[in-house]
């Protein structure tokens, strides 16, 4: 763990299709709840349905799209207020545990999770870009990678998978985070990383819990903004047809 996963230089068409669809979802070009026409997307992207279906299956596994019998694919809708609260309650149960276990694994010479440099690098957020949408997208990706990496550090594939699935539902909300929230997030991530590197399970658990409680407040404001922006817009919903 603590290692940044690097894709092969030569991406497959399915990889490129996934990246493109993921970007469209993150930037709300494909808004929450939008129905995805496989025929329409294939024509628009000038590709066959095979790589498109592979990319959609991957996005489904990450919780960014849904597939329903007889209905096809659609972008996962925004969480309801109740779902939002449940999600953070679950994160507060699982992620402090993952951070604690990660610190324990660092202390085990037979189960090292990587050096501190890699984990600190993942904790840092990208520099703010002049293009706000690109900055938000970069922040979303960096934040998700850090939490996924700490979860992977726990040594529990089941825990890591559950955390990754929960985290996917927050992608769209992160796009509405204020710039100052990004620097706050970085400081909190670094506190978690330093506790893990220092092999202090209790400190790592406490730092992750503090981060999630503060994150809940920030996300609540972003959640409200995302809800308002996701109000029905027939023209935008048909953008993928």
């Amino acid at each position: 763990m603590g290692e940044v996963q690097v894709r092969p230089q030569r991406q497959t068409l399915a990889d490129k299709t996934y990246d493109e669809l993921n970007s469209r979802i993150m930037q709300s070009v494909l808004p929450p709840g939008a129905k995805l026409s496989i025929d329409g997307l294939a024509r628009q992207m000038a590709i066959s349905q095979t790589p498109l279906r592979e990319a959609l299956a991957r996005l489904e596994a990450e919780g960014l799209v849904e597939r329903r019998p007889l209905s096809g694919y659609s972008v996962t809708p925004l969480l309801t207020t109740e779902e939002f609260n449940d999600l953070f309650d679950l994160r507060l149960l699982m992620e402090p545990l993952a951070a604690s276990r990660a610190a324990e694994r660092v202390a085990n010479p037979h189960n090292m999770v990587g050096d501190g440099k890699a984990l600190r690098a993942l904790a840092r957020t990208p520099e703010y870009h002049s293009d706000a949408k690109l900055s938000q997208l970069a922040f979303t990706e960096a934040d998700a990678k850090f939490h996924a990496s700490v979860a992977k550090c726990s040594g529990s594939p089941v825990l890591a998978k559950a955390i990754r699935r929960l985290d996917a539902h927050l992608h769209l909300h992160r796009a509405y985070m204020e710039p100052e929230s990004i620097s706050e997030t970085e400081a909190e991530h670094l506190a978690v990383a330093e506790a893990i590197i220092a092999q202090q399970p209790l400190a790592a658990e406490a730092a992750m819990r503090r981060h999630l409680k503060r994150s809940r407040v920030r996300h609540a404001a972003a959640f409200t903004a995302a809800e308002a922006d996701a109000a029905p817009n027939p023209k935008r919903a048909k953008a993928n047809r």
Side-chain angles (χ1 to χ4, degrees):
M1 196 303 336
E3 297 177 358
V4 180
Q5 294 185 354
V6 180
R7 287 185 184 176
Q9 286 186 333
R10 190 173 182 179
Q11 284 186 310
T12 67
L13 184 55
D15 287 333
K16 292 178 181 178
T17 304
Y18 164 83
D19 288 342
E20 175 62 24
L21 291 177
N22 183 69
S23 177
R24 292 186 187 191
I25 292 171
M26 291 300 101
Q27 298 183 60
S28 290
V29 174
L30 296 174
K35 186 172 176 58
L36 302 175
S37 164
I38 291 180
D39 288 339
L41 284 169
R43 286 195 302 271
Q44 188 184 98
M45 300 174 75
I47 57 174
S48 70
Q49 290 191 9
T50 299
L52 180 59
R53 289 183 184 278
E54 289 180 23
L56 287 170
R58 186 174 165 189
L59 290 165
E60 181 185 15
E62 294 179 359
L64 290 176
V65 302
E66 295 179 344
R67 180 175 57 176
R68 296 180 180 176
L70 306 178
S71 298
Y73 287 97
S74 61
V75 179
T76 301
L78 288 174
L79 299 169
T80 64
T81 301
E82 292 76 14
E83 289 170 336
F84 174 85
N85 288 325
D86 283 346
L87 182 147
F88 265 95
D89 286 344
L90 287 171
R91 290 187 77 191
L92 280 163
L93 288 173
M94 293 191 294
E95 296 203 51
L97 173 62
S100 174
R101 287 190 177 181
E104 291 172 353
R105 293 187 79 217
V106 169
N108 184 342
H110 301 293
N111 201 9
M112 295 299 288
V113 296
D115 61 26
K117 185 177 180 181
L119 189 56
R120 288 189 187 99
L122 285 170
R124 298 189 184 282
T125 53
E127 291 185 11
Y128 212 70
H129 194 277
S130 57
D131 185 317
K133 278 191 175 292
L134 288 179
S135 288
Q136 290 163 341
L137 183 59
F139 168 65
T140 293
E141 292 175 347
D143 192 29
K145 279 183 179 179
F146 177 75
H147 283 273
S149 296
V150 172
K152 185 178 177 182
C153 256
S154 72
S156 169
V158 173
L159 186 57
K161 183 177 181 180
I163 290 172
R164 188 169 64 249
R165 290 280 297 185
L166 285 176
D167 191 78
H169 291 287
L170 292 175
H171 283 332
L172 291 171
H173 303 143
R174 287 190 184 96
Y176 292 84
M177 302 291 276
E178 296 296 330
E180 56 269 23
S181 296
I182 296 176
S183 60
E184 291 171 4
T185 297
E186 181 177 282
E188 292 161 17
H189 281 181
L190 284 169
V192 173
E194 294 298 342
I196 291 173
I197 294 164
Q199 304 174 12
Q200 297 178 345
L202 291 179
E205 179 180 344
M208 180 63 84
R209 184 170 286 109
R210 282 195 301 272
H211 166 52
L212 291 174
K213 286 181 176 180
R214 293 169 181 168
S215 179
R216 186 175 199 158
V217 174
R218 293 190 292 264
H219 274 288
F223 175 73
T224 301
E227 260 190 329
D229 198 45
N233 186 336
K235 290 184 179 179
R236 185 171 60 177
K238 294 178 181 178
N240 66 303
R241 296 181 182 174

